[in-house]
Amino acid sequence: MLKLDRVSKVYRVGSFGGEQLRAVGDVSFEVRPGQVVSLIGESGSGKSTIGKMVLRTSRITSGTISFDGADISRYRRTGELKEYYRRVQGVFQDPFSSYNPVFKADRVFEMIRTEYFAAVPAAEWRAKLDAALRTVRLDPAQVLGKYPHQLSGGQLQRLLIARALLLDIELLVADEIISMLDASTRIDVLNLLADLKERGLGILFITHDLSLGNYVSDQTVILRGGSVVERGATRRVFANPLHPYTRRLLSSVPQLHKTWAEVDAELRARDAGAERRCAYHERLPDGGPDPLAAVDEDHHVACFALDGAPCPDAARTPVG
Amino acid sequence: MSTEQAGPPTGAGPAPGGGGAPPDAAVPAGAPLAAAAPAGRRGGELAYFALRNGKLVAGLVIVLFFLLVGLFAPMLLPHGPNEYDIGPQGAPPSAELWLGTTRFGQDVYAQFVHGLRSTFLVGLLGGGVAFAVGMVVGFVAGYRGGWVDEVLNMITNVVLVLPTLAVLIIVAAYLQARGVAVQSLFIGLTSWPWAARSIRAQTFSLSSRDFVDLARLSGRSSWKIIFRDIAPNMSSYLFMTFILLFGGAVLIAAGLDFIGLGPTDGTSLGLMMNQAVNWGALQLGMWWWFVPPGLGITAIVGALYVMNVGLDEVFNPKLRET
Amino acid sequence: MSLKVRDLRVYYRTLAGDVKALDGADFELADGEITGLVGESGSGKSTLGKSLIKLDGRMRYVSGTVELDGAELPVRDSARMNDFRFREVSLIPQYAMSAMNPTRKVGRMIADLLESRGERFRALRPELVRRLELVGLGEQVLGRYPIELSGGMKQRTVMVLSTLLDPSLLIADEVTSALDVSNQRAVAETLAGFRDRGFVKSMIFVTHDVALVNQIADTITVMYAGRLAEKGPAKTVVNSPRHPYTRMLISALPEVGVSHGERRLSGIPGSPPALLDPPAGCRFRDRCPLAFDKCEQEPPFAEVEPDHSVACWKA
């Protein structure tokens, strides 16, 4: 459905755009219908930029993003883009910043109505809206006609998901939609995403929180400095992290029932005896055109070279 | 990303144990206030603070007073502002002629109230033109960004460094008859750049907010987004910009009038001062000729600026405390 | 006991009346204890942290006493608190990274701050350098401008500075929430190290992240709607919580080390009461599956076993 093929984004900075800043480099992955793909990375990893590029609020520099085979950067006229937005929608991190503070919260629905459903009679629209709100488990009477500050963060995020559901969306880009919610309500929003997935929606779940990614997603993409370091089935990536960066992330995440020291010891014990080898070059001794190597079924890893250090196993520098 | 992330005042340092603690995460800034305002009472809340703001109320009273005088007083006069021999020449204020007469026996009071009229007209027209141009340029540059922004920015900077006075003198020399409207247009077309710049900056920061992205994702056109989604968020700011442009236009007009580039027909407060000085009112001690127009301009512009400070306090909750 | 708080109440003034953000806190901290103060937004955890050091303009002291190392802390009197701030009680603010004056070199800024507190920079400088080195920063940091330091470096500098005078109590207010996971771990472990080295006697680590605080804290204090719900040893609170709120909160947390498969976690239905006019009795009552008639009276925050207190009739 959604396919990113070696997508890069370069910002021109400095006077006269003389310097270049690579925010995203050579990122490829796919989101299929009924699949949650989590894009995990720390700040500066380029995860949100990827979300924006998929939503066409930011341009790509090279590579292609295609939706059902059509290159989305080709959409020129507003009409084409509007049709794209009928099928692909986004929800963002900060529920309070997603609403125009001077208007009531349900204005986000009105915008959809005036732009897409201008001809629909009021009663029919109301029924459609009620259905969407029920899907996200909100009581219309409680949330309509209120200002954003009168609603909780969880309610606001669910309203935005309901907004997306008013259209016939096939893909939802969820950019850190949980991170500003309280622990007792965030799980409900996560479960809601899982429900949508069961209805056949594809979801691109962007987060910095590995535990959320682990809970909700089928596929995991780990990003670092704009590049994918590891990608694969969530089960495999979390059970058997191969890239040193993935391991570092996993060992830093605080766990409820294990201390950091215990996690460190576990990782050390697993590595005991085994020499540290680059899984990428083990698979592709001479490197390859793709920045990732398949190390297992549905599990890909990048070269271990971190922070520009040369990879110990590299016979020659990887292409790309 | 919260825009409310108010850093502590510079100079305070990290002050562990001191002040400088940023807004509480648990109690977002303004949350108690927001919680206090039932169903959409933002307007009511603003009115509450507006009516209790001494600066705003005082400024408004002064401006309204002069506006009403300028609007109605001329209607009550039996003679025009420039008619001669209304009274004895150079007479000081008296019961019949409240502000005395000029050296030609013109009624200073009549000139003053008519002058007020043209002062408000210049402020409204000149400020209005500058405001309109500044808004369009600022919005488009801030929202579009990229090369559009660069081109508009260049034009803005060119107009900003244009020696306005020299241009006006040249233009004035070519035009035989100058009315208040023409003068306003000149002022408007030369004083918009700073407004454009500040509106551009505001638009730029608002454009990166999520709700603007969301409006884009709703398939809205750029103009709709600018005027329906972005502009309402800066309404207070736009209002204040207009007030400042209004005051600026009044001041510029007074300056132009004073150096003899004012309207060739009618009168204005600046023109009154120009004549007073030309005909030796200062040397002759005819204070009633130049003091009223001077005071009028000072009071109106001063009141506008005080209003602006008051409005700032009303719109910006951070300044309300105290 | 290094810290004793009795019935502390601090409200926020608003147009509509007082928001009862902190409505009666009773707890103690032992020497060397790190307690993780957890709660959701609006639970009053930050208000509690701040009220022990500085009431801001909107906060109003209502009642209560605070005792630090046997001496009363004059929390209601900002002027008298000045003698205690930084020396006895210190705070690392949430946005420590942006709390630096960009136009001054770090060393100069620290010197000014110390002088303004009546301390001599020269005398303290060797210790400052020693501690900067301890957190992996060199002396050269003092000659840099804040803009030249990364977020993590600034955070560490502020941590060192806040604890330079060996305060008895350190309040860390959401210091990790804006950081990436790897930095979170470093900061949390550094703070625990400060306690181990005796730079601070006890610490209140305010956060919304139970899993994080569980890594370094000895005890966990849970707040709900302006009141303490539960305080006990970290292991006990995480593994066998007694307050229904704590229980539901902890079971709602997804974890990295667990494969959740098809099993769904569930959140806590409902939302916390408005603190402008909170209902009488237990404030969790409306969301609590165990609520019964008696919950209309306020449950006392009472010890259920040694060092483990819970405010629930069913505990």
Side-chain angles (χ1 to χ4, degrees), chain B residues 5 11 13-14 16-18 22 24 26 32 36, chain C residues 14 16 42 46 53 85 95 99 101 113 161:
Chain B
Q5 207 189 90
D24 188 359
Chain C
T14 69
S46 277
I53 185 154
R85 289 185 195 128
Y95 299 101
N101 181 349
L113 184 75
L161 176 57

Side-chain angles (χ1 to χ4, degrees), chain C residues 81-107:
Chain C
M81 269 304 282
N82 255 333
D83 297 338
F84 293 88
R85 289 185 195 128
F86 201 15
R87 290 195 182 83
E88 297 298 327
V89 192
S90 200
L91 172 90
I92 306 176
Q94 186 173 5
Y95 299 101
M97 280 108 91
S98 58
M100 287 184 167
N101 181 349
T103 62
R104 297 218 144 192
K105 287 185 177 165
V106 173

Side-chain angles (χ1 to χ4, degrees), chain A residues 171-189:
Chain A
L171 176 74
L172 183 71
V173 177
D175 186 356
E176 294 270 18
I177 63 170
I178 313 282
S179 58
M180 298 192 55
L181 303 185
D182 275 321
S184 69
T185 47
R186 53 167 60 178
I187 200 72
D188 294 327
V189 177

Side-chain angles (χ1 to χ4, degrees), chain A residues 52 55 57 82 85 89-90 92 94 97-103 107 111 115-116 147 149-150 160 163, chain B residues 1-2 34 37-42 209-211 213-220 224 228-230 232-233:
Chain A
K52 281 186 196 305
L55 289 172
T57 52
K82 209 164 161 175
Y85 289 146
Q89 276 295 330
F92 308 116
D94 182 353
S97 153
S98 297
Y99 290 84
N100 204 331
V102 296
F103 297 111
R107 185 166 181 272
M111 280 202 277
E115 299 297 334
Y116 289 95
Y147 281 89
H149 67 252
Q150 295 170 310
L160 289 179
R163 168 191 167 276
Chain B
M1 205 180 309
S2 167
R41 283 266 308 276
R42 187 180 142 85
R209 298 272 292 275
D210 289 342
F211 68 81
D213 271 345
L214 215 60
R216 285 195 189 114
L217 294 190
S218 303
R220 288 208 146 189
K224 239 182 182 175
R228 301 255 187 95
D229 297 276
I230 295 180
N233 272 284

